[in-house]
């Protein structure tokens, strides 16, 4: 997160308090309240400018067709690197922001849109004809999607993928699409056993059910020195469940007592377990994501909220380790890229 983002978020909400009455008046004049084009050009441009000052790649939209009042969504469009920024914008909503408004940091499910028409460029897609081929991959806790529409014969691959992503957001919501959808491909012919996108939520629910409680995957490998190593990865671990945790933190802890393969044995192994339990006191300010062990060193990989006191607490925890000098290092990683080598 850039240093300018918190100020831009505060400025946004100050501006919003002044602009909201004009936006509400414009929405009331529209028969279709989620038609953003119905807002005056100057309001659209100013809203885009204010959101862009937080981050140029953030997107916004105003809806309210479900009879529950208007909603403003500011989103990273599925980009995990922007999820934390959108969350901080959302958590800064002031009490005076309008009781009848709803504010979201990610697009919400909107199943009614799955039966509407979607205009992209100069082409209009009747979404009643859209279908998904769905393949559940339990090993990755993902559903791979093949999107089909008869009009895909006439449009580019980029437009096909745009249609697919709109359908996924409307069927699941942006966060659940990021959690559970794997590979997305398109097809010019309907896949075998293709289903309407409205049924995707039921398929995802079946895939997600076994993972209601997180577990750990374990693996073995070799250290750079050629000795055995062990890796444990929390699975499944979703960026969307820890939106403020933008900081990758490693805590490297040496141990004295090891077997000939340089893996820990008692009393070091017990001390390492006690050390790990201390991470539980960090609550939702940090999440332990992966653990590497080998060559006399255990490295804990965490993702933490940079706006919290987690780093100071981890420094204090490391200072209390008595089997060598434990080291804490951190680097911004809002996309959780450092976890890529450990994911199944």
């Amino acid at each position: 997160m850039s240093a300018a983002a918190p100020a831009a978020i505060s400025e946004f909400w100050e501006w919003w308090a002044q602009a909201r009455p004009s936006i509400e008046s414009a929405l009331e004049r529209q028969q279709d309240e989620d038609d953003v084009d119905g807002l005056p050009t100057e309001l659209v441009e100013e809203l885009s400018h204010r959101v862009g000052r937080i981050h140029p790649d953030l997107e916004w939209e105003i809806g309210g067709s479900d009879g529950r009042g208007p909603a403003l969504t500011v989103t990273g469009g599925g980009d995990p690197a922007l999820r934390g920024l959108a969350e901080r914008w959302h958590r800064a909503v002031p009490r005076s922001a309008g009781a009848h408004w709803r504010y979201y940091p990610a697009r919400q499910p909107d199943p009614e849109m799955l039966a509407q028409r979607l205009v992209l460029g100069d082409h209009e897609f009747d979404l009643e004809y859209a279908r998904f081929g769905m393949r559940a991959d339990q090993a990755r806790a993902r559903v791979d999607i093949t999107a089909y529409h008869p009009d895909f014969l006439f449009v580019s691959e980029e437009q096909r993928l745009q249609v697919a992503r709109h359908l996924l957001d409307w069927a699941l919501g942006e966060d659940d699409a990021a959690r559970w959808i794997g590979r997305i491909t398109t097809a010019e012919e309907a896949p075998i056993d293709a289903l309407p996108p409205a049924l995707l939520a039921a398929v995802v629910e079946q895939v997600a059910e076994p993972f209601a409680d997180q577990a750990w995957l374990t693996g073995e490998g070799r250290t750079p020195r050629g000795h055995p190593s062990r890796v444990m990865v929390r699975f499944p671990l979703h960026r969307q469940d820890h939106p403020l945790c933008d900081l990758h933190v490693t805590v490297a802890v040496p141990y004295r007592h090891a077997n000939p393969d340089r893996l820990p044995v008692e009393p070091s192994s017990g001390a390492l377990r006690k050390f790990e339990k201390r991470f539980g006191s960090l609550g939702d300010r940090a999440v332990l994501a992966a653990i590497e062990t080998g060559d006399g060193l255990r490295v804990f990989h965490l993702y933490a909220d940079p706006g919290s006191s987690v780093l100071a607490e981890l420094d204090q925890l490391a200072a209390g380790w008595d089997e060598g000098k434990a080291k804490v290092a951190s680097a911004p990683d809002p996309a959780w890229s450092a976890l890529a080598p450990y994911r199944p």
Side-chain angles (χ1 to χ4, degrees):
M1 182 174 65
S2 71
I9 289 173
S10 297
E11 291 169 3
F12 175 91
W13 289 115
E14 292 173 3
W15 168 82
W16 179 257
Q18 300 173 358
R20 182 167 49 83
S22 297
I23 293 174
E24 291 172 351
S25 296
L27 292 175
E28 289 173 0
R29 291 194 297 267
Q30 303 302 314
Q31 293 182 351
D32 184 4
E33 291 185 349
D34 63 359
D35 181 5
V36 175
D37 292 334
L39 291 178
T41 301
E42 61 271 18
L43 281 176
V44 172
E45 292 178 349
E46 184 64 18
L47 184 49
S48 297
H49 170 69
R50 295 286 175 171
V51 171
R53 289 191 63 184
I54 302 172
H55 194 285
D57 293 332
L58 286 175
E59 304 169 2
W60 66 269
E61 57 189 43
I62 290 178
S65 60
D66 56 6
R68 292 192 293 152
L72 172 63
T73 300
V74 170
T75 168
D79 184 347
L82 296 175
R83 185 61 183 83
L85 199 53
E87 186 71 21
R88 288 178 173 85
W89 166 86
H90 180 251
R91 296 196 183 196
V93 176
R95 293 182 179 180
S96 59
H100 61 294
W101 277 81
R102 292 163 291 141
Y103 300 95
Y104 299 113
R107 292 185 176 94
Q108 302 299 294
D110 192 354
E112 291 184 6
M113 289 298 298
L114 298 174
Q116 305 299 318
R117 293 178 178 270
L118 173 64
V119 178
L120 292 176
D122 58 358
H123 200 95
E124 182 177 79
F125 298 86
D126 185 345
L127 299 182
E128 289 275 13
Y129 295 99
R131 295 291 183 270
F132 279 161
M134 310 176 196
R135 187 178 70 83
D137 186 341
Q138 292 287 355
R140 293 187 301 126
R142 296 278 182 168
V143 178
D144 294 330
I145 296 295
T146 300
Y148 164 77
H149 191 283
D151 291 0
F152 281 179
L153 286 168
F154 313 113
V155 299
S156 67
E157 178 65 10
E158 180 182 358
Q159 282 185 301
R160 297 176 187 178
L161 289 172
Q162 282 183 290
V163 172
R165 292 189 180 102
H166 278 292
L167 291 169
L168 289 171
D169 285 346
W170 289 327
L172 298 176
E174 187 179 301
D175 279 348
D176 265 352
R179 286 183 182 100
W180 303 110
I181 299 303
R183 288 181 288 269
I184 305 171
T185 57
T186 67
E188 295 181 357
E189 296 183 4
I192 298 175
D193 298 329
L195 299 170
L199 297 180
L200 177 60
V203 175
V204 165
E205 185 177 353
Q206 293 177 2
V207 171
E209 185 178 6
F211 302 102
D213 297 321
Q214 288 184 339
W216 288 86
L217 298 181
T218 60
E220 297 183 354
R222 291 282 171 178
T223 69
R225 297 179 181 177
H227 296 116
S229 67
R230 293 175 182 169
V231 179
M232 297 178 62
V233 183
R234 193 182 295 272
F235 181 79
L237 181 61
H238 299 128
R239 172 73 177 91
Q240 296 69 29
D241 294 334
H242 308 276
L244 298 183
C245 294
D246 293 336
L247 192 68
H248 177 222
V249 184
T250 57
V251 184
V253 182
Y255 49 86
R256 290 179 183 153
H257 305 278
N259 61 20
D261 287 331
R262 303 204 65 193
L263 294 171
V265 296
E266 295 294 351
S268 291
S269 53
L272 287 168
R273 287 193 297 270
K274 291 180 181 178
F275 185 91
E276 180 183 334
K277 287 182 179 179
R278 298 283 298 277
F279 294 140
S281 65
L282 302 176
D284 60 3
R285 296 173 297 152
V287 57
L288 178 60
I291 304 171
E292 295 179 283
T293 306
D295 270 338
L297 192 69
R298 176 162 291 179
V299 180
F300 300 93
H301 294 262
L302 300 95
Y303 277 89
D305 177 359
S308 71
S309 60
V310 164
L311 277 182
E313 293 177 42
L314 289 175
D315 282 336
Q316 185 177 8
L317 178 61
W321 182 252
D322 61 4
E323 294 194 26
K325 183 174 178 56
K327 298 180 180 179
V328 178
S330 64
D333 184 17
W336 289 22
S337 302
L339 277 189
Y342 308 102
R343 294 186 183 275

